[in-house]
Amino acid sequence: MGGFLAWEVIGVLDTEGDRAEWTFPADPGSVRSARAVVRGQLRAWGLDALVDVTALLVSELVTNSLRHASGPIGVRLVRYSGTAPGLLVEVSDPLPDLPRERIAALDDEGGRGLQLVASSARRWGTRPGVSGKTVWFELAIP
């Protein structure tokens, strides 16, 4: 994890095969750390075409988690093949309230994260978990 301070990532759960998972503290530095590990993993998988959009969307979702939750934030990537190859990205936090997409006014400083996810992803959604929730999106692999 060269270049990362040890406190920025609580744990690397798995980076083998077609799946990678990390857990980050509820700390503003986690947005940068999540972006960096996602970029690195996608480059390692040869998915350079998805690096920028994935890092942007992960940044938005991790930022949303930081604004509303106070516990660890999980980020998970799953690369899959088949007739419609794709990348599944999940961001989880301990807050059980599912987010809602809303229309931000022109002068609003926030509220565009889920709009950005919805307009950039092939599919997206939310699901409750045992403790908290997961917001996920799917990108097509070119």
Side-chain angles (χ1 to χ4, degrees), residues 76-118:
R76 181 173 180 247
L77 306 176
V78 179
R79 175 181 61 172
Y80 58 92
S81 55
T83 57
L87 176 70
L88 173 66
V89 180
E90 300 175 332
V91 175
S92 303
D93 66 51
L95 187 69
D97 302 333
L98 298 178
R100 293 184 331 261
E101 184 180 3
R102 67 181 183 92
I103 305 300
L106 291 175
D107 59 345
D108 284 349
E109 293 199 20
R112 292 177 182 80
L114 288 179
Q115 284 180 305
L116 190 57
V117 170

